[in-house]
């Protein structure tokens, strides 16, 4: 098998498993490569690289950047961006500050709705040993609501409070997708529009690809139907961009929002090579050497 799962989350954001555990599971699943794509952080990459050497599996360093276009959340995956680049790191740090204040607004909104959740409860749910570069997300807030007994499942937390259009939903000031794509390119990486099937906004996705910045679109995703896959494969073809894929694994736990297990959706290893090629073409000198390490 020569497959790559190019979309997984770890404890560096809202995944349940340590980066090394994702890498071990990917090796056990017989994958050739695994992407680590935490929300707005690259804090899990070093641990993943060490584990990749131990388990003999290729690590595709990644990130999933939160953006919005016309009020619609759009996630942009970045692969092989230089995660030592101080400008790139500062940009991700600014994303995390926006995320932190958004999270506080969500807690305030819940309080207004009569749910006595505190920020401390959210931190308990997210794990107290969280590093400064690791991100807290809505799934952690959902977990805190579950622990309080306000909801019976994590999905109920989204359906009643946290999902788009629900009373505790907060859309913070977000960068537009083109800006995230530029950040990734400036750090030498390749940019991919994540899970277009989750937006219900195909025209916007099409316009984004037509604008010419993105290197790829995530055709294969755990929440995509076979019909979605066909539609987005055709879209990738029309715009001459790569068709990538991944599970969006967040970990397994009873009642947990989950997307899919590692390896549930994949891309061919040739897609990894193509992403790498695009990024090495974009890099020069010492920066290119860093990619090869
Ligand atoms: P955040 O980046 O903090 O806004 O959290 C986004 C994450 O929340 C996504 O990666 C999903 O795992 C989860 N999520 C978002 N919307 C929903 C929903 N409607 N139902 C279940 N999970 C959701
Ligand atoms: Zn997530
Ligand atoms: Fe996403
Ligand atoms: Fe994701």
């Amino acid at each position: 098998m020569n497959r790559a799962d190019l979309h997984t989350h770890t404890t560096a954001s809202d995944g349940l498993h340590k980066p090394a555990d994702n890498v071990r599971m990917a090796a056990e699943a017989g994958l050739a490569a695994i992407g680590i794509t935490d929300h707005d952080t690259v804090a899990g990459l070093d641990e993943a690289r060490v584990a990749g050497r131990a388990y003999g599996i290729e690590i595709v360093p990644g990130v999933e950047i939160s953006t919005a276009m016309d009020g619609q959340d759009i996630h942009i995956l970045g692969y092989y961006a230089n995660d030592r680049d101080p400008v790139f790191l500062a940009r991700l740090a600014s994303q995390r500050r926006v995320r932190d204040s958004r999270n506080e607004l969500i807690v305030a909104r819940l309080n207004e709705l009569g749910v006595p959740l505190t920020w401390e409860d959210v931190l308990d749910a997210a794990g107290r040993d969280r590093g400064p570069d690791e991100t807290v997300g809505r799934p952690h807030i959902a977990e805190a609501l579950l622990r309080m007994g306000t909801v019976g499942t994590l999905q109920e937390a989204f359906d009643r409070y946290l999902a788009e259009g629900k009373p505790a939903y907060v859309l913070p000031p977000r960068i537009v997708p083109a800006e995230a794509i530029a950040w990734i390119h400036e750090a030498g990486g390749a940019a991919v529009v994540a899970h277009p099937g989750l937006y219900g906004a195909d025209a916007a996705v099409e316009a984004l690809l037509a604008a010419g910045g993105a290197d790829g679109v995530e055709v294969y995703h755990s929440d995509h139907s076979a019909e979605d896959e066909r539609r987005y494969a055709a879209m990738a073809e029309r715009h001459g961009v790569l068709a990538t894929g991944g599970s969006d694994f967040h970990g397994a736990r009873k009642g947990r929002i989950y997307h899919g297990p590692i390896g549930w959706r994949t891309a061919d290893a040739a897609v990894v090579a193509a992403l790498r090629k695009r990024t090495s073409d974009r890099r020069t000198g010492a920066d290119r050497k860093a990619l090869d390490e």
Side-chain angles (χ1 to χ4, degrees), residues 7 9 37 39 64 75 77 195 248 250 259:
H7 192 158
H9 292 267
T37 53
H39 298 285
E64 183 173 20
H75 288 173
L77 294 159
H195 44 60
D248 209 352
H250 278 72
H259 300 298

Side-chain angles (χ1 to χ4, degrees), residues 2-4 6 242-243 267-277:
N2 211 15
R3 309 294 301 176
L6 290 174
L242 294 168
D268 193 90
V271 173
V272 177
L275 285 169
R276 238 181 122 81
K277 167 116 182 39

Side-chain angles (χ1 to χ4, degrees), residues 202-233:
D202 274 12
V205 172
E206 184 102 48
L208 194 53
L209 295 179
D215 298 278
V217 59
E218 191 175 47
V219 172
Y220 307 97
H221 182 273
S222 295
D223 301 335
H224 282 179
S225 66
E227 163 53 27
D228 288 336
E229 290 178 358
R230 272 192 296 277
R231 214 166 59 253
Y232 298 121

Side-chain angles (χ1 to χ4, degrees), residues 77-126:
L77 294 159
Y79 296 108
Y80 296 111
N82 178 0
D83 59 307
R84 299 283 186 268
D85 177 341
V87 173
F88 187 58
L89 292 175
R91 286 167 163 170
L92 294 181
S94 76
Q95 287 284 101
R96 291 193 294 273
R97 282 192 296 274
V98 168
R99 174 177 277 282
D100 288 344
S101 48
R102 189 260 342 227
N103 289 341
E104 283 170 23
L105 287 172
I106 292 175
V107 171
R109 195 74 69 82
L110 286 166
N111 293 162
E112 283 166 29
L113 293 164
V115 180
L117 189 78
T118 67
W119 183 241
E120 295 294 297
D121 298 330
V122 177
L123 280 184
D124 280 335

